[in-house]
Amino acid sequence: MHLDHHHDGPAAVSADAHRPNGSRRALRIGLGGPVGSGKTATVAALCRALRDELSLAVVTNDIYTREDAEFLLREAVLPPERITAVETGACPHTAIRDDISANLEAVEDLEDEVGPLDLVLVESGGDNLTATFSKGLVDAQIFVIDVAGGDDIPRKGGPGVTTADLLVVNKTDLAPYVGSDLARMAADAKAQRAELPVVFQSLRTEAGVTDVAAWVRAQLAAWTA
Amino acid sequence: MSRAALLVLADGRFPAGGHAHSGGAEAAVKAGRITGASSLEEFCRGRLHTAGLVSASLAAAAVLGVNPMELDAAADARTPSPALRVAARKLGRQLMRAARATWPSVELDALAREFPKGAHQPVVLGVTARVAGLDAVDAAHCAAYESVSGPASATVRLLSLDPFDATAVLARLAPELDRVADQAVEAAGRVVDHGVDALPSASAPLLEIGAELHAAWPVRLFAS
Ligand SMILES: Nc1nc2c(ncn2[C@@H]2O[C@H](COP(=O)(O)OP(=O)(O)OP(=O)(O)O)[C@@H](O)[C@H]2O)c(=O)[nH]1
Ligand SMILES: [Mg+2]
């Protein structure tokens, strides 16, 4: 706080890279995707992987409960003061895209209350394939789908699959049981996304969230550069 | 004044957080007080003449330049339910953010500095209207309209009510809405001369009680 030249300035309005006190704010990464694809499980795994090296916080956007936040609290992936639930009025996609003010407040309050943060993860409640985060809210977004939701989702595309900064195809361990063709999913994703990255992961295996954590570290390196 | 600025501010898509609030409709639906279009209309009428009138008067007084700190304290005094005070400040903070991005001004920056966690939403609405070049009656119309449009659109989601029926309810209330806006402007004029005690203090006990119960539900669609 010693660099605090204008601490009486009013709060930031939107995606300003600096906080009112002049310090650089935390990197914000959004996680969206269909219901049950593994967003909360990925957030939990990322917290476990990164919490010893980074100062982290999480914002959840549930549809009508606080279940995601409560799961993260129960699993004790972070201290409770680092997890905030935003109420979304039955429309998580509105709260992450069209009217982002409640989420911006949650992010800023976390930074004010738990001190300097490196990274804030914002999870959207499970929604449809068109739900994406506003650039006014997050700096990068991860779209999480799973192999059990049908292996034609990458082919169908949609804004999440096509434009997310990272596409995660989760639950690869279930592919043999649900008859999903991972090679085909990879080819379809490549066709939709060109050079944008895709990670196939199973949180039930040893490697778990390793690749996604590496991607997050790279985003953070670029943000702080 | 700019009529188009009024449309921007009054637009239901103005990104100021209103979509997550039902204006008491979720509690009223659960309690069986709103079951369809006609009970929605009664609910909205009650809200318009109580919370709506008070909000509209606060907003109009803010446009006339009454001190926002005094108006905010007066709003607190007229809002018995702690849950509703929290909701009003949350919405005020969200509106402040949207307004500062939309109509940048020293006046809004000063308000944000004074109330980092938000002032009551109608007070922020009034200052915003003022900065946008609108008149007291415009701000009063906005506040009065929001007091009924929020519950109407929430009820469409809560009861799967026909959206045409919900919109027709709003249209039927329009003449009353105009009268409430006029009353609010008169009250705001008295506030300029006699201080904030001249503000109306109409209240709806069931809205306050419903808000307290609602805030304690573990599972709900709307924040208030
Ligand atoms: N087999 C398997 N199950 C997984 C994997 N990842 C998550 N799950 C399970 O999938 C279920 C849903 O995971 P969540 O993380 O809650 O999914 P979500 O996307 O956050 O769901 P919503 O927030 O409700 O949309 C849970 O039972 C997880 O344990 C995985 O890699 N493999
Ligand atoms: Mg979840």
Side-chain angles (χ1 to χ4, degrees), chain B residues 161-201:
Chain B
L161 188 68
D162 183 332
F164 299 124
D165 290 342
T167 305
V169 164
L170 296 177
R172 281 198 294 278
L173 288 169
E176 276 176 70
L177 219 141
D178 288 335
R179 283 201 296 281
V180 166
D182 289 340
Q183 285 169 24
V185 173
E186 280 169 34
R190 288 195 298 276
V191 172
V192 171
D193 297 328
H194 305 290
V196 295
D197 286 350
L199 283 164
S201 50

Side-chain angles (χ1 to χ4, degrees), chain B residues 28-68:
Chain B
V29 164
K30 175 87 169 272
R33 289 193 287 273
I34 300 178
T35 54
S38 68
S39 46
L40 170 65
E41 183 167 338
E42 289 311 305
F43 177 89
C44 287
R45 179 169 288 114
R47 194 160 195 266
L48 173 63
H49 289 281
T50 53
L53 174 64
V54 173
S55 296
S57 306
L58 287 162
V63 177
L64 297 182
V66 177
N67 182 345

Side-chain angles (χ1 to χ4, degrees), chain A residues 33-42 62 68 71 123-127 144 170-174 201-204:
Chain A
V35 176
S37 61
K39 297 177 293 297
T40 305
T42 300
D62 277 321
D68 283 342
F71 175 84
E123 179 188 342
S124 168
D127 214 311
V144 183
N170 192 34
K171 308 190 191 178
T172 52
D173 53 298
L174 297 182
Q201 78 174 10
S202 164
L203 296 174
R204 295 286 154 83

Side-chain angles (χ1 to χ4, degrees), chain B residues 91-181:
Chain B
L91 285 168
R93 185 178 174 194
Q94 292 177 237
L95 175 58
M96 192 128 71
R97 178 192 301 277
R100 285 176 58 219
T102 317
W103 290 285
S105 71
V106 286
E107 203 168 337
L108 285 168
D109 285 354
L111 190 66
R113 205 175 282 123
E114 202 65 62
F115 294 96
K117 299 287 174 195
H120 276 262
Q121 193 269 1
V123 180
V124 182
L125 180 65
V127 176
T128 302
R130 182 181 155 88
V131 162
L134 296 170
D135 294 331
V137 69
D138 303 320
H141 267 105
C142 266
Y145 182 64
E146 280 176 7
S147 78
V148 292
S149 63
S153 61
T155 302
V156 169
R157 293 194 215 161
L158 289 162
L159 289 179
S160 305
L161 188 68
D162 183 332
F164 299 124
D165 290 342
T167 305
V169 164
L170 296 177
R172 281 198 294 278
L173 288 169
E176 276 176 70
L177 219 141
D178 288 335
R179 283 201 296 281
V180 166

Side-chain angles (χ1 to χ4, degrees), chain B residues 2-29:
Chain B
S2 155
R3 178 154 293 175
L6 175 57
L7 294 178
V8 173
L9 183 57
D11 190 337
R13 284 163 299 186
F14 191 76
H19 71 95
H21 295 258
S22 77
E26 186 167 30
V29 164

